[in-house]
Amino acid sequence: MSEERVKVWGVGVRAFHWLLVGSFLTAYATGDGDLGAGETHVFAGYAIAALLAARIAMGFVGGRFARFSDARIAPGAVLGYLRDLAAGRARRHLGHSPAGWAMTFALLVALLLATVSGLLSLAETAGSGPLAGTAPVVGAGAEGRWTELHGTASNAVVALALVHLLGVFGAVAAHGTEVLGAMITGEKAADKEREADPH
């Protein structure tokens, strides 16, 4: 008898995840380029902004496991999960684990900071973009600050992404390759998860 499967990640979440990976890698790789690369960087930045807007909307009206109301990010829950993961006894979760949700929010915040500072830097240095002409916000002694913040926030995204990958590898070791497969197929085995998932 085949095991029961349950849809965890809808096509919207999976598309967001992989399009964001591609867009951010493109933006990061072209961040210091001249004309052509600079245009690619800006285009990738706009794509990231659109993806973030879509993901935030999914956080309120998306599927059950994509909604922010599903998040369990109390410090005790996150630390407890990480402690159990290190000890090899972490509970399975159909959606994000507490640590997974904490990383999701950390990445969203860092990406939003990188995106907004990038738009402000574009307005300041090139006088273009949707924030062009926002003189009270840019300029007035703040020359270069948005660009510096943009670089710092982008590097923070990279650091968080590396930690995220370590967490994924830890979850794979604890729960099997299904953790990775679910971000491709969207499904997990319901019978393995049902007892452990508290929702």
Side-chain angles (χ1 to χ4, degrees), residues 99-136:
W101 267 118
M103 180 54 70
T104 296
F105 283 118
L107 279 166
L108 286 175
V109 169
L111 284 161
L112 283 169
L113 186 58
T115 301
V116 172
S117 60
L119 290 172
L120 288 168
S121 176
L122 183 64
E124 179 185 64
T125 60
S128 60
L131 299 182
T134 55

Side-chain angles (χ1 to χ4, degrees), residues 154-181:
S154 298
N155 288 332
V157 172
V158 171
L160 287 169
L162 291 174
V163 174
H164 170 57
L165 286 174
L166 288 175
V168 169
F169 293 143
V172 167
H175 307 308
T177 56
E178 175 174 72
V179 174
L180 288 174

Side-chain angles (χ1 to χ4, degrees), residues 40-162:
T40 301
H41 179 77
V42 171
F43 180 79
Y46 286 146
I48 291 170
L51 288 166
L52 289 174
R55 180 62 184 93
I56 290 170
M58 281 187 279
F60 295 100
V61 298
R64 167 185 164 193
F65 298 106
R67 289 195 298 267
F68 298 144
S69 59
D70 190 64
R72 301 295 181 265
I73 57 170
V78 174
L79 292 174
Y81 178 82
L82 291 174
R83 191 166 46 245
D84 289 345
L85 187 64
R89 59 171 185 269
R91 297 173 64 187
R92 286 174 163 270
H93 294 266
L94 271 175
H96 285 307
S97 68
W101 267 118
M103 180 54 70
T104 296
F105 283 118
L107 279 166
L108 286 175
V109 169
L111 284 161
L112 283 169
L113 186 58
T115 301
V116 172
S117 60
L119 290 172
L120 288 168
S121 176
L122 183 64
E124 179 185 64
T125 60
S128 60
L131 299 182
T134 55
V137 178
V138 286
E143 292 82 2
R145 293 182 190 169
W146 296 123
T147 301
E148 182 179 352
L149 177 59
H150 181 59
T152 300
S154 298
N155 288 332
V157 172
V158 171
L160 287 169
L162 291 174

